[in-house]
Amino acid sequence: MNYQEIINTQNAFYNTNATKDIPFRVKELKRLKSILQKNEGLLYQAIYRDFKKSKYETYTTELAIIYHEIDLALVNIKKWSKKKSVSTGLANLPARSYIMPEPFGTVLVMGAWNYPYQLSIVPAIAAIAAGCTVILKPSEIPSNSSSVMAKIISENFDPKFFKVIEGGVKETTELLKVKFDKIFFTGSIQVGKIIYQAAAKHLTPVTLELGGKSPAIVTKDVNIDMTAKRLVWAKFLNTGQTCIAPDYIMVESSVQDELLLAIKKHIESADYKIENQNYTQIVNQKNFERLQNFIEKDKIYYGGHCDADNRIISPTVMSGVTFSDKVMQEEIFGPILPVLSFDNIDKAIADIKTLSKPLSCYIFTKNKVVKNKILNEISFGGGAVNDAVMHFMEQNLPFGGVGDSGMGNYHGKAGFETFSHYKSILQKSFLIELNLKYSPYTSSKLKWLKRLIG
Ligand code: NAD
């Protein structure tokens, strides 16, 4: 496939200004929603084939989020696209100043495998709403999900506007040689660095949605049962293959045993099984082996069963874990939950800060001082107090990382902004012209300038 030719075609289409038209964007967003709805059956089948993700979780954690993003964009697109007036300084009066969004142009969206539909299509929605043309490169790992997206989009969209390019490292390496106007990448820190370097060659702006070890900190004053219930759901959703899953728990030592018992109770009552629609396979053998390697037998508090033939790892809780253990050296991204304890919040914060800035942080506490201390002292992408993962669903909260967990953000208006350049315009009139800026530069002009400018 000649990628340069594909991008040339998209650039040419972009330059017709067709995508700058709001009704065009609205029509294309409506088309996207309707073709996804029409093909829901195929989408469910493909993702089930990839890692046995159920219809229920595919709807709630993928399609519902996509539909909501489309609806939100449709309602707000006119408002988001409006130029915004700002005040003008004395030196330029009479005049108007305003900021107007313009689409970046032809953009590349690259998705990760763990939520193959949502992580590919939600950024594409933002790009379409902002008026860009889009090349979408889904992850090749869930190959059925990738090819069903390619099929549905190629059958319903003009490739000069929206096209899926499938492929792995070889294809992506070639694709990244081409100049895009913006790259939006979701994936690992390691590949994020490759993307950033490739983009730098063309001075292409990037948004990087990466990962990291997201802590959940639990103090002794909370409702332990409800804390455990929320943490268990957040951790084992999608079998722990969630970028914002609580990676590990730091619990105040006096309530550690109580929390562990409550976690066990809630895992058992959820009864995680593929046939119960609440569990999936580990996506591939490589990840299965990587996860299996984290489990140290003498630290298993609960679970730890690994079925290599079916790539299933049961919900596993590890206790007595320290920051030097294997499981604490990299993002887990699977159904293993290490529990560490602390007696001193300052020491706990210092330990968390020895790791890279996480994508999320969850604070379970009723203690305002502790809450504010953690919010002020730990840098992380976003998070929740007394809950986990659910901040992702809030349409007014921009979603993204910081430091190693990423740069830039999206969801709702933030997504529109991510794919827009904000042009600053000063618009003067011909009514009068102050001669202060022109020579001859006299001392009385300087005096006036100093008064005007300060
Ligand atoms: P990945 O980095 O392996 O792959 C992501 C994309 O990069 C895929 O499209 C893949 O084809 C491509 N890719 C892989 N190797 C490449 C290379 N050498 N050169 C060019 N492109 C390459 O990530 P993944 O395994 O799909 O996802 C897991 C990671 O993504 C985790 O770290 C997780 O935390 C993170 N993640 C982050 C978010 C977020 O929103 N911040 C969401 C989901 C996953």
Side-chain angles (χ1 to χ4, degrees):
M1 211 183 288
N2 186 330
Y3 297 135
Q4 185 62 61
E5 259 175 37
I6 296 170
I7 277 68
N8 289 347
T9 319
Q10 287 215 344
N11 284 335
F13 181 64
Y14 179 76
N15 285 324
T16 64
N17 294 316
T19 65
K20 305 240 175 99
D21 184 38
I22 304 286
F24 173 87
R25 302 182 205 175
V26 166
K27 188 175 84 215
E28 299 304 318
L29 287 171
K30 285 185 176 165
R31 183 201 308 273
L32 181 57
K33 186 172 176 188
S34 112
I35 61 161
L36 291 171
Q37 283 176 325
K38 234 186 266 165
N39 287 287
E40 267 188 15
L42 287 180
L43 293 162
Y44 291 135
Q45 268 171 28
I47 203 165
Y48 190 81
R49 264 190 238 131
D50 284 325
F51 54 114
K52 295 208 161 50
K53 182 159 169 162
S54 70
K55 192 171 164 182
Y56 190 93
E57 280 200 6
T58 303
Y59 182 77
T60 53
T61 67
E62 307 247 19
L63 301 182
I65 293 171
I66 292 171
Y67 297 152
H68 178 72
E69 278 289 324
I70 294 178
D71 293 343
L72 190 66
L74 288 172
V75 169
N76 290 290
I77 191 164
K78 270 199 194 138
K79 193 167 77 190
W80 295 342
S81 310
K82 269 199 185 129
K83 52 186 176 219
K84 185 176 166 241
S85 291
V86 293
S87 61
T88 303
L90 271 180
N92 271 315
L93 289 177
R96 287 177 61 202
S97 296
Y98 49 88
I99 303 159
M100 55 181 287
E102 70 169 10
F104 266 120
T106 294
V107 304
L108 171 64
V109 170
M110 292 181 62
W113 59 261
N114 55 325
Y115 290 88
Y117 300 139
Q118 187 233 113
L119 294 174
S120 298
I121 294 174
V122 169
I125 292 165
I128 293 171
C132 298
T133 60
V134 185
I135 299 286
L136 170 60
K137 211 300 287 174
S139 169
E140 72 284 15
I141 291 177
S143 58
N144 295 295
S145 307
S146 169
S147 60
V148 82
M149 278 189 278
K151 175 181 151 51
I152 295 172
I153 287 164
S154 70
E155 283 173 1
N156 292 283
F157 282 95
D158 191 330
K160 63 183 188 244
F161 168 59
F162 186 11
K163 180 172 175 60
V164 175
I165 293 180
E166 289 191 89
V169 176
K170 186 167 152 272
E171 291 78 7
T172 314
T173 306
E174 281 309 302
L175 186 59
L176 286 168
K177 289 182 183 159
V178 180
K179 179 176 167 60
F180 287 91
D181 296 310
K182 165 99 197 187
I183 299 178
F184 185 106
F185 171 82
T186 302
S188 61
I189 296 172
Q190 186 198 355
V191 179
K193 289 177 184 171
I194 296 173
I195 305 299
Y196 205 4
Q197 278 172 356
K201 292 205 175 114
H202 298 293
L203 281 183
T204 297
V206 292
T207 295
L208 301 176
E209 298 283 343
L210 311 177
K213 288 185 85 61
S214 301
I217 304 162
V218 181
T219 64
K220 63 183 178 201
D221 56 0
V222 294
N223 177 331
I224 291 286
D225 190 66
M226 207 181 288
T227 298
K229 188 171 187 176
R230 289 175 182 173
L231 281 171
V232 164
W233 175 82
K235 178 69 187 189
F236 298 107
L237 179 73
N238 212 34
T239 309
Q241 302 172 115
T242 302
C243 57
I244 49 170
D247 187 276
Y248 62 101
I249 295 177
M250 295 281 284
V251 55
E252 204 158 355
S253 59
S254 59
V255 290
Q256 179 178 209
D257 290 346
E258 197 187 337
L259 182 72
L260 282 166
L261 271 175
I263 288 174
K264 177 173 175 284
K265 179 186 109 180
H266 286 292
I267 293 175
E268 283 174 351
S269 74
D271 195 14
Y272 286 106
K273 282 196 192 87
I274 287 167
E275 52 275 31
N276 288 346
Q277 301 212 32
N278 59 3
Y279 218 52
T280 72
Q281 291 177 304
I282 304 303
V283 75
N284 59 15
Q285 202 57 33
K286 190 173 150 208
N287 270 290
F288 180 87
E289 282 163 21
R290 187 183 63 80
L291 288 165
Q292 203 177 17
N293 193 36
F294 288 145
I295 303 175
E296 291 178 53
K297 288 223 155 43
D298 57 332
K299 296 203 168 162
I300 297 174
Y301 171 80
Y302 184 81
H305 309 294
C306 299
D307 169 358
D309 293 341
N310 294 303
R311 300 196 317 268
I312 293 170
I313 296 180
S314 70
T316 299
V317 182
M318 290 170 67
S319 63
V321 175
T322 67
F323 274 84
S324 54
D325 287 351
K326 259 190 307 199
V327 74
M328 292 303 289
Q329 305 313 305
E330 61 177 88
E331 181 184 3
I332 299 169
F333 219 54
I336 301 169
L337 179 59
V339 178
L340 294 82
S341 65
F342 70 89
D343 290 308
N344 175 306
I345 191 66
D346 288 303
K347 170 80 169 63
I349 291 173
D351 285 342
I352 290 168
K353 286 173 78 168
T354 61
L355 305 176
S356 305
K357 293 179 180 181
L359 185 55
S360 301
C361 179
Y362 305 116
I363 308 161
F364 289 82
T365 189
K366 286 186 182 163
N367 183 326
K368 259 195 196 160
V369 175
V370 169
K371 178 196 73 181
N372 290 333
K373 188 175 181 56
I374 296 169
L375 288 175
N376 285 328
E377 295 182 14
I378 301 179
S379 178
F380 55 90
V385 176
N386 299 329
D387 207 349
V389 168
M390 291 306 291
H391 64 299
F392 186 87
M393 311 301 294
E394 278 308 312
Q395 63 183 41
N396 296 319
L397 290 178
F399 179 78
V402 58
D404 280 7
S405 55
M407 61 182 74
N409 42 53
Y410 73 130
H411 285 186
K413 185 166 185 253
F416 180 93
E417 290 169 351
T418 282
F419 287 98
S420 301
H421 161 65
Y422 283 81
K423 258 180 190 161
S424 293
I425 305 295
L426 168 73
Q427 185 174 315
K428 300 269 288 222
S429 84
F430 289 108
L431 276 179
I432 53 163
E433 178 67 330
L434 290 177
N435 280 321
L436 292 177
K437 71 182 176 194
Y438 300 108
S439 58
Y441 298 149
T442 63
S443 54
S444 77
K445 280 184 179 176
L446 189 59
K447 204 171 82 191
W448 273 107
L449 269 176
K450 282 185 172 172
R451 272 196 200 162
L452 280 174
I453 296 168

